[in-house]
Amino acid sequence: AQSVTQPDIHITVSEGASLELRCNYSYGATPYLFWYVQSPGQGLQLLLKYFSGDTLVQGIKGFEAEFKRSQSSFNLRKPSVHWSDAAEYFCAVGVNDYKLSFGAGTTVTVRA
Amino acid sequence: DGGITQSPKYLFRKEGQNVTLSCEQNLNHDAMYWYRQDPGQGLRLIYYSQIVNDFQKGDIAEGYSVSREKKESFPLTVTSAQKNPTAFYLCASTYGRGNQPQHFGDGTRLSIL
């Protein structure tokens, strides 16, 4: 079965600085990869997804992610964070069934 | 606008009581899901349903039950057998298999009185 690891539980970044969130997956083939964001007390919102093709994927809110097959990684990046980016971020992996596996999440704090 | 509606947003349960969480979607999605979210543990799958009148257990189904009598609705019952029900519950839906992103409701927070 596939699994997802988000090594960083909590990241603090200054407003205007760059952000990178790590995601590693374990699966024999290339899975379907997703990044979601969750504000406190809310549901999850899809930021971006990767199925195939170009390994650099653009998403909403200025986020992008890069799929690296050799490293089994799908890291999320944003060049310049805004205070509104403070939230919890989840990486998820899907295969050829109806289920997703989620990482434990990374909480992002943005300081002024 | 299409979306997923979960109700209520907050729910309180007494010891020994069953409670039902509602999830309705108007996205015409085939598959629906229930997740439990606890701090530091991400999302854990409770039950999912690919089509009407069919559902499968997820990773933590014990103490929970579901039904799928209509495509739009997938209610979750937290039974008295669930000894630690306090959590944030999320409902999601999707068109189909793993290459489709799941869309989420805003969640229900369940607490024990």
Side-chain angles (χ1 to χ4, degrees), chain A residues 4-104:
Chain A
V4 183
T5 302
Q6 293 180 245
D8 303 304
I9 296 173
H10 188 213
I11 287 180
T12 298
V13 60
S14 298
E15 192 169 16
S18 64
L19 173 68
E20 182 167 12
L21 304 181
R22 295 184 290 164
C23 173
N24 295 99
Y25 67 89
S26 173
Y27 183 59
T30 299
Y32 306 111
L33 296 160
F34 307 87
W35 273 101
Y36 287 87
V37 62
Q38 184 182 34
S39 297
Q42 300 294 315
L44 276 67
Q45 180 184 21
L46 180 70
L47 286 175
L48 47 76
K49 58 190 178 186
Y50 174 79
F51 296 159
S52 64
D54 192 348
T55 56
L56 186 63
V57 180
Q58 301 298 318
I60 63 171
K61 302 178 186 283
F63 285 92
E64 65 178 25
E66 186 173 13
F67 170 63
K68 292 186 177 180
R69 185 190 308 274
S70 62
Q71 298 177 19
S72 297
S73 69
F74 188 55
N75 294 349
L76 182 71
R77 298 193 293 253
K78 185 168 184 177
S80 177
V81 299
H82 186 261
W83 63 266
S84 60
D85 293 322
E88 191 161 18
Y89 293 80
F90 292 93
C91 181
V93 171
V95 293
N96 286 319
D97 61 18
Y98 283 83
K99 297 187 289 184
L100 293 183
S101 292
F102 287 84

Side-chain angles (χ1 to χ4, degrees), chain B:
Chain B
D1 284 342
I4 300 176
T5 301
Q6 290 189 242
S7 62
K9 190 163 182 65
Y10 299 95
L11 187 59
F12 299 91
R13 193 191 91 170
K14 294 180 180 178
E15 295 284 349
Q17 186 180 51
N18 294 353
V19 291
T20 298
L21 284 60
S22 171
C23 178
E24 303 278 334
Q25 55 100 357
N26 60 2
L27 299 167
N28 198 33
H29 285 171
D30 293 313
M32 297 186 74
Y33 306 79
W34 275 105
Y35 293 93
R36 171 179 172 140
Q37 187 177 21
D38 297 282
Q41 297 193 47
L43 277 67
R44 292 184 290 168
L45 183 63
I46 304 172
Y47 269 98
Y48 65 105
S49 168
Q50 299 172 18
I51 56 172
V52 174
N53 293 322
D54 188 38
F55 48 82
Q56 289 77 40
K57 293 182 179 180
D59 301 318
I60 56 165
E62 185 175 353
Y64 300 97
S65 66
V66 294
S67 63
R68 186 87 186 275
E69 298 176 359
K70 299 186 300 181
K71 187 175 185 178
E72 304 80 20
S73 179
F74 191 41
L76 173 74
T77 297
V78 184
T79 75
S80 57
Q82 172 49 244
K83 297 308 178 188
N84 184 23
T86 297
F88 191 53
Y89 292 87
L90 286 162
C91 179
S93 70
T94 185
Y95 276 117
R97 295 180 176 269
N99 62 348
Q100 299 296 325
Q102 293 182 9
H103 299 257
F104 285 82
D106 283 338
T108 293
R109 185 165 298 281
L110 176 62
S111 301
I112 299 302
L113 291 176

